[in-house]
Amino acid sequence: MDALDISRWQFGIITVYHYIFVPITIGLSFLVAGIQTAWVRTGKERYLRATKFWGKLFLINFAIGVVTGIVQEFQFGMNWSSYSRFVGDIFGAPLAIEGLLAFFLESTFLGLWIFGWDKLPRRVHLATIWIAATGTLLSAYFILAANSWMQHPVGWTMGDGRAELTSIWAVLTNSTTLVTFPHTITACFLTAGALLIAVSAWHLKRGSQDDVFRPSLRLGAWVVLVAGLGVMITGDVQARVMTEQQPMKMASAEALYDNTSSASFSLFTIGSLDGSEELYSVRIPSLLSFMATGDPSGEVEGINDLQAEYVDRYGPGDYVPNVPVAYWSFRLMIGFGVLAMVIAAAALWFTRGERRPASRWLWIAAGSTVAMPLLANAFGWIFTEMGRQPWSVFGLFKTADSGSPSVSTAEAATSLIVLTLVYGVLAVVEFALIIKYAKAGAPEIEPPAEHDADKPLAFAY
């Protein structure tokens, strides 16, 4: 491997690792805010205990997410300097807005939430977590706007051999951003809901703190189901926009080599790795055409036809992404997301009323729920980025031209090894803290004599 390949591996590893924390942070911030709202409105102690418990897990996750996210931006200068020089005028704008506006908003008000329990009136304190949660949404939007520009560049012109910004509004209202944002955010809620199911199941299996964790489990299950439905609807819209803008990505997702009408979608295929030779497959008729065009009989362009078209448009070259990666990451993304919804539905069914599941396997399934959306998220981003290749900015700038010429293979390899080891240590720290505080359960709190939403809570975090 050369320095470019190593840099791609490093960026992929760090991105997938960082995105473990992002969806939990976004989704859990709103769930904690909702639970605290229930406490402020009702004064019931179990809501306060649940707020404290889930809030602590949220803070641990937020802290590690910030640390790992900072490295993301440093990579653009270290390993991708050619890319940064070419698109920095555009790509840097939404990232700067995210840092100066959204991140400061969420971090400032999160600090007020952490230290304001016994200092701020309860309604004011409640507002701080809602504002911090809103900040996570804004952060996500601006970052997705930057990534969406890589998928579908708009609001730019070429000047002095580099892309220059002509309209920040066009970048922020990119059609790709408008469909990617709701799809991503609903997936964040699905992930946070799955965390509630997994941790709550662990406690309920041991018969501890049912007053906190039974409602938490059922809340998480409902969130997973509703958010999962949202992921499906927004994903359907996103697939059609993607097909219009990057038809090669959709063709690679099905390993479809020739233009096909009423194209079927294969759930599972046995054959050559690149899908060019098929021995056996399980297919749903016309589903790919419906996903790509909204019409079950619509025509989906194939890899061979698109390759010829791209050669005419962009010049000689191989414009086909890694088909096995695109094919399987697309299916694993869908499969793990659906599996999380199935477990959530089972959790609701088997805990209805005051029922407690007796089957050990049901508890194991519930406890593993959080892994499902995390894997779905990872495979979703792998598909998004690998399916765009060979472009770093689709149709405009190739990945092969995006690296840092001054970075040697040895330097890139050293960076990859060191960062992987450091991130491995951070993973141990993160999961050790999460497991420790998750096992500790909700704190026992002596409630105040009277419930007054305008008075601070005399309880330090």
Side-chain angles (χ1 to χ4, degrees), residues 321-336:
N322 188 313
V323 175
V325 171
Y327 179 91
W328 286 110
S329 60
F330 191 66
R331 277 149 188 78
L332 290 169
M333 172 189 68
I334 296 171
F336 282 119

Side-chain angles (χ1 to χ4, degrees), residues 354-379:
E354 295 299 320
R355 293 173 178 83
R356 180 185 296 273
S359 172
R360 175 172 173 264
W361 294 107
L362 286 173
W363 290 114
I364 292 174
S368 65
T369 310
V370 69
M372 308 306 168
L374 290 175
L375 289 168
N377 293 333
F379 284 116

Side-chain angles (χ1 to χ4, degrees), residues 155-207:
W156 67 280
T157 188
M158 189 67 74
D160 297 325
R162 62 194 293 268
E164 296 181 352
L165 182 67
T166 59
S167 172
I168 185 62
W169 180 250
V171 173
L172 296 179
T173 58
N174 189 340
S175 58
T176 306
T177 308
L178 297 180
V179 296
T180 300
F181 178 72
H183 185 63
T184 302
I185 297 305
T186 49
C188 292
F189 278 95
L190 192 155
T191 307
L195 177 67
L196 263 65
I197 293 174
V199 176
S200 298
W202 190 89
H203 284 281
L204 291 176
K205 174 67 170 65
R206 287 153 181 79

Side-chain angles (χ1 to χ4, degrees), residues 1-4 6-7 78-79 404-415:
M1 292 194 296
D2 59 15
L4 181 68
I6 295 171
S7 295
M78 295 187 298
N79 295 69
S404 296
S406 60
V407 175
S408 67
T409 301
E411 289 170 333
T414 301
S415 175

Side-chain angles (χ1 to χ4, degrees), residues 42-227:
T42 67
K44 293 181 179 179
E45 179 190 341
R46 67 172 184 268
Y47 291 133
L48 176 58
R49 296 173 63 210
T51 301
K52 294 288 187 178
F53 176 78
W54 297 113
K56 186 165 290 186
L57 299 189
F58 160 67
L59 291 174
I60 294 169
N61 187 81
F62 179 86
I64 301 294
V66 169
V67 172
T68 57
I70 291 173
V71 179
Q72 287 284 82
E73 297 188 5
F74 278 119
Q75 286 186 100
F76 292 117
M78 295 187 298
N79 295 69
W80 303 99
S81 59
S82 296
Y83 170 85
S84 298
R85 280 192 295 269
F86 186 78
V87 304
D89 185 56
I90 303 171
F91 191 78
L95 293 183
I97 298 172
E98 186 274 334
L100 293 173
L101 174 63
F103 179 73
F104 273 94
L105 184 71
E106 60 186 284
S107 57
T108 298
F109 282 92
L110 191 58
L112 290 171
W113 186 72
I114 295 170
F115 298 107
W117 281 97
D118 57 347
K119 298 176 178 65
L120 297 174
R122 294 180 195 178
R123 288 196 178 98
V124 174
H125 184 258
L126 174 63
T128 63
I129 186 61
W130 279 110
I131 295 172
T134 303
T136 67
L137 280 187
L138 293 174
S139 286
Y141 189 88
F142 292 123
I143 292 171
L144 289 172
N147 181 267
S148 294
W149 192 85
M150 299 169 67
Q151 313 292 337
H152 179 56
V154 294
W156 67 280
T157 188
M158 189 67 74
D160 297 325
R162 62 194 293 268
E164 296 181 352
L165 182 67
T166 59
S167 172
I168 185 62
W169 180 250
V171 173
L172 296 179
T173 58
N174 189 340
S175 58
T176 306
T177 308
L178 297 180
V179 296
T180 300
F181 178 72
H183 185 63
T184 302
I185 297 305
T186 49
C188 292
F189 278 95
L190 192 155
T191 307
L195 177 67
L196 263 65
I197 293 174
V199 176
S200 298
W202 190 89
H203 284 281
L204 291 176
K205 174 67 170 65
R206 287 153 181 79
S208 62
Q209 300 183 325
D210 281 27
D211 60 325
V212 171
F213 291 109
R214 175 176 286 275
S216 291
L217 183 142
R218 293 186 62 82
L219 171 63
W222 278 114
V223 169
V224 167
L225 288 177
V226 174

